Amino acid sequence: MTPLRGAIKKKRKAVHMARLDSGDLPDFFAKLAAYEGERMTALAVEFVMHTLTRTGEVRFAEWSEIEGDTWRIPAARMKMGREHL
């Protein structure tokens, strides 16, 4: 066995989370509206789903990034390092 053989790590296969079918969305949003926990959490989940953003982008959003109906997420907070509208 070569010295490097033990140092090479195998790449793990990605494990994806389950998705909702589009037909299940109305029921999901109804359950979310009826959620009895922290209301801000339910609103944040709904906002993530409507904007297709990452949770961190929503959690760290600032009012100064929103102009009218446009949310401008700075490149520094985006995974790809580019501003997102």
Side-chain angles (χ1 to χ4, degrees):
M1 176 155 73
T2 65
L4 291 179
R5 184 139 178 101
I8 299 173
K9 294 182 181 180
K10 292 182 180 180
K11 187 174 181 178
R12 293 183 185 177
K13 186 175 180 178
V15 178
H16 299 283
M17 299 182 83
R19 66 174 175 83
L20 289 173
D21 289 323
S22 59
D24 295 333
L25 288 174
D27 186 48
F28 175 81
F29 281 117
K31 288 179 181 177
L32 193 58
Y35 178 66
E36 294 183 6
E38 174 62 40
R39 185 70 188 137
M40 190 60 69
T41 300
L43 291 172
V45 169
E46 186 172 353
F47 190 74
V48 164
M49 292 183 72
H50 284 295
T51 59
L52 302 174
T53 55
R54 296 174 181 275
T55 56
E57 294 158 0
V58 171
R59 289 182 5 246
F60 299 111
E62 297 182 13
W63 283 112
S64 61
E65 298 170 353
I66 300 170
E67 300 171 21
D69 63 353
T70 303
W71 177 23
R72 186 179 304 269
I73 306 171
R77 285 213 341 266
M78 293 298 297
K79 182 178 179 181
M80 298 298 293
R82 293 187 311 230
E83 180 181 79
H84 181 77
L85 297 176

